[in-house]
Amino acid sequence: MNNLEKEIETYLNGEMTVEENKIFEKKIELDPTAQKEFKIYKEMYTLYNDADWEISNSATQNDRITTYVTFLKSEKGQSISKNIQKAEDAYFNAFSTKIKKIVLYAGSIAALLVLGLFVFVQLNKDIDAKSLYAEHKNWNDLPSLSLRDGVTSLSEGEILFRKKQYSTALTVFKSYVSQNATQSNPQVLLYIGVTQLELNQNEAAIKSFEKLLGSDTLDASKAYWYLSLTYLKINKVEEAKTQLQILSKNPQNYKYKEAKELLNRLQ
Amino acid sequence: MSAQKYDNYLLESLINGNEVGIKEIYKKVYPKVFTYVRTHDGTEEDAKDVMQKSLLQLSVRAQAKDFVITSSFEGYFFTTCKNVWRREVKIHKSRVTNSTVIDLVHEEREIALAAYEQEKWELFQQKLEEISENCRKILQFFFNKIPYSKIADTLGYATENTVRQRIFKCKSKLKEAIQTDSRYNELKEL
């Protein structure tokens, strides 16, 4: 225990004045021993905090890092990486394979298995619809709100949304809508719907997208796409199909190609 | 298969890139990772990403001949996943607030850095286990930013000042233990 440790503690606890901070930082900079001591304490403050993580500087040099990078770039490393991907694919497809096997088996003792098969197919649909939703949701598609008229609350909402702080984002969007009740902004409605999806408020999301649909703006047709995704998410495959069929009628429609492709997979 | 044998099989699969065995790890651990990430501000995509990165990270580390897991494979791997997600969140936050500049680095280097950070984290955790229970408790409170007054109440210290002094001593002891461990030196930046 010495004075330096006391000083480090005061500094890391944030108990120094601005002036003291400056003097301390200068001292650390000039004294390698003090620097070492300071570093380990700083590491302790981060590594023992359950909500934190110590990110190393991207230029960090250490023998291990070099070894790891070399391995990852090697043939073996690459092949392991590929096999992890394959295992992931296999894991997420396992359910449908299981069904196929059961279908084969059912040929011989069909009567007994009809009921079981029915249950499995229902389950299978459930998984499929949800994974189709996961596969197609891409919120990067959403138009940016920050460019529009410099309305700061909207750009703030978008930032929160991108940071995945959905409930706060939703509050911001909703208060914008209530303050601008006379002119509806279709893009904000889109964000509200998608945010509700992320918060698992699926019914509310449907309402928001339906509102968008009725908004009589250029963006209105986008609602069909987002409605279909919502229905997939809650496993209402037939309803999802209805929305997709509307989209697939006209090549001018938003996500026309994707809608056709999705429809095919759902048939 | 006994539990130990099964755990060895999982680790071996990861070391050799055996697809069937890795799928087995997915079956065992992915549902937990999914729940963890979803309840910590992440999406399903994030959960998949965390799972992949953690598998690769552990595979790389386990290539070293002396690598061992002392707890169960599942528990150990899940901890890695949680740490990978904490890392992602921290990087994301730093990018948004720009408080520190974190460059985009190549995927291989990213995995390597994460593996290196994980090793340092494990060393620090192990050292914390080695000091007295009394010290460990008070420090865990302190590092998780519990106020001195609350610590005094919970652990039955008379005054905040006693808590302060105790923390100071324990911290110094712990630091000593880390510093004298040869692995700390190995993990130092060059």
Side-chain angles (χ1 to χ4, degrees):
Chain A
M1 252 169 295
N2 49 39
N3 278 334
L4 178 65
E5 280 186 307
K6 282 239 158 65
E7 271 182 82
I8 293 175
E9 172 166 70
T10 324
Y11 178 84
L12 287 172
N13 287 356
E15 292 162 350
M16 279 187 178
T17 64
V18 181
E19 199 51 36
E20 284 168 336
N21 262 342
K22 270 190 198 155
I23 297 170
F24 177 77
E25 280 162 11
K26 195 92 205 151
K27 178 175 168 181
I28 292 291
E29 214 182 290
L30 297 171
D31 178 353
T33 323
Q35 213 173 67
K36 240 170 70 187
E37 199 79 354
F38 174 66
K39 188 168 188 299
I40 188 167
Y41 272 113
K42 202 165 159 258
E43 283 170 339
M44 285 165 72
Y45 273 69
T46 322
L47 284 162
Y48 290 127
N49 183 338
D50 293 337
D52 208 343
W53 186 256
E54 203 205 24
I55 309 274
S56 21
N57 186 301
S58 59
T60 307
Q61 291 300 325
N62 179 281
D63 287 346
R64 285 187 202 218
I65 301 176
T66 320
T67 315
Y68 295 157
V69 171
T70 315
F71 178 77
L72 283 161
K73 285 184 174 162
S74 74
E75 210 173 299
K76 189 173 179 201
Q78 294 285 321
S79 107
I80 291 176
S81 165
K82 257 186 219 134
N83 283 354
I84 290 176
Q85 181 64 56
K86 275 192 203 156
E88 188 199 282
D89 295 343
Y91 171 74
F92 288 106
N93 289 326
F95 227 88
S96 26
T97 325
K98 230 187 237 168
I99 313 298
K100 274 179 207 147
K101 276 188 192 151
I102 285 173
V103 173
L104 281 174
Y105 190 48
S108 52
I109 36 168
L112 256 179
L113 277 182
V114 165
L115 187 66
L117 184 63
F118 177 75
V119 172
F120 262 99
V121 170
Q122 287 305 311
L123 280 172
N124 184 27
K125 261 192 187 163
D126 181 28
I127 297 291
D128 275 344
K130 271 193 188 145
S131 58
L132 280 176
Y133 163 75
E135 198 182 305
H136 283 85
K137 70 167 204 177
N138 178 6
W139 306 152
N140 294 329
D141 282 358
L142 294 174
S144 174
L145 296 174
S146 48
L147 293 173
R148 297 176 70 86
D149 321 322
V151 180
T152 48
S153 75
L154 280 187
S155 34
E156 191 190 312
E158 189 189 349
I159 290 171
L160 287 166
F161 176 83
R162 297 286 170 210
K163 279 166 49 182
K164 296 182 176 143
Q165 296 178 4
Y166 295 119
S167 45
T168 329
L170 189 60
T171 319
V172 172
F173 291 140
K174 278 191 170 162
S175 82
Y176 172 85
V177 170
S178 64
Q179 280 160 19
N180 301 272
T182 45
Q183 52 178 134
S184 72
N185 181 336
Q187 307 194 334
V188 180
L189 276 174
L190 256 187
Y191 270 89
I192 289 180
V194 170
T195 311
Q196 285 162 334
L197 273 184
E198 284 294 341
L199 290 168
N200 229 353
Q201 304 172 359
N202 302 319
E203 296 303 322
I206 293 180
K207 288 212 177 91
S208 304
F209 293 134
E210 280 173 345
K211 215 163 156 190
L212 172 65
L213 201 58
S215 73
D216 201 26
T217 61
L218 277 175
D219 281 320
S221 75
K222 285 188 180 174
Y224 293 119
W225 173 253
Y226 289 98
L227 274 171
S228 71
L229 287 183
T230 312
Y231 285 127
L232 281 180
K233 187 177 180 226
I234 56 175
N235 197 30
K236 290 191 172 168
V237 179
E238 289 310 315
E239 280 90 339
K241 277 189 192 167
T242 316
Q243 305 299 324
L244 292 168
Q245 269 150 4
I246 301 173
L247 280 178
S248 67
K249 276 188 189 135
N250 182 352
Q252 303 295 317
N253 278 341
Y254 181 68
K255 298 267 184 193
Y256 166 78
K257 239 177 73 193
E258 286 88 343
K260 284 201 96 160
E261 185 204 303
L262 244 179
L263 257 182
N264 273 335
R265 288 173 68 177
L266 287 171
Q267 297 304 335
Chain B
M1 239 190 278
S2 74
Q4 187 56 50
K5 266 195 178 157
Y6 184 65
D7 275 9
N8 288 345
Y9 163 71
L10 295 179
L11 185 61
E12 279 301 314
S13 304
L14 202 47
I15 294 173
N16 300 317
N18 166 12
E19 194 190 318
V20 182
I22 298 175
K23 195 178 139 194
E24 204 59 27
I25 305 176
Y26 267 93
K27 268 194 218 159
K28 272 193 91 127
V29 192
Y30 179 76
K32 284 169 84 178
V33 174
F34 175 80
T35 313
Y36 181 80
V37 171
R38 287 303 312 256
T39 47
H40 290 80
D41 291 329
T43 63
E44 187 177 351
E45 288 308 303
D46 292 326
K48 285 185 185 175
D49 187 53
V50 164
M51 186 78 188
Q52 277 203 4
K53 283 182 176 161
S54 309
L55 284 167
L56 197 53
Q57 180 199 118
L58 185 54
S59 175
V60 174
R61 292 182 51 213
Q63 300 295 327
K65 292 273 175 298
D66 54 354
F67 182 86
V68 275
I69 292 176
T70 45
S71 59
S72 77
F73 178 87
E74 191 181 333
Y76 183 83
F77 182 65
F78 184 52
T79 306
T80 306
C81 291
K82 285 199 279 194
N83 285 343
V84 166
W85 179 237
R86 268 158 68 184
R87 184 175 197 273
E88 296 288 316
V89 171
K90 177 89 185 270
I91 290 182
H92 192 83
K93 269 190 200 152
S94 317
R95 285 223 178 93
V96 172
T97 57
N98 260 338
S99 60
T100 37
V101 182
I102 293 171
D103 305 323
L104 280 167
V105 292
H106 278 294
E107 207 195 327
E108 284 101 8
R109 201 170 157 75
E110 193 67 59
I111 299 282
L113 285 173
Y116 165 79
E117 289 159 15
Q118 171 71 20
E119 269 159 26
K120 206 177 200 179
W121 182 85
E122 279 174 19
L123 169 67
F124 274 62
Q125 296 302 322
Q126 203 186 327
K127 287 289 147 189
L128 188 62
E129 289 302 314
E130 284 172 16
I131 58 171
S132 72
E133 198 192 332
N134 177 296
C135 264
R136 181 165 60 243
K137 262 196 189 149
I138 200 168
L139 285 181
Q140 275 166 337
F141 280 128
F142 170 75
F143 285 123
N144 285 299
K145 301 200 162 64
I146 310 291
Y148 290 119
S149 57
K150 185 88 193 292
I151 302 179
D153 272 359
T154 322
L155 297 181
Y157 284 93
T159 64
E160 284 181 34
N161 210 29
T162 357
V163 173
R164 233 174 215 280
Q165 282 165 11
R166 185 83 194 127
I167 289 173
F168 189 76
K169 272 188 195 153
C170 290
K171 216 164 41 170
S172 189
K173 238 189 247 168
L174 179 57
K175 185 218 70 176
E176 203 63 37
I178 299 169
Q179 226 165 14
T180 47
D181 193 305
S182 62
R183 287 170 297 173
Y184 180 68
N185 268 318
E186 280 168 33
L187 287 168
K188 246 199 232 147
E189 291 170 33
L190 296 178

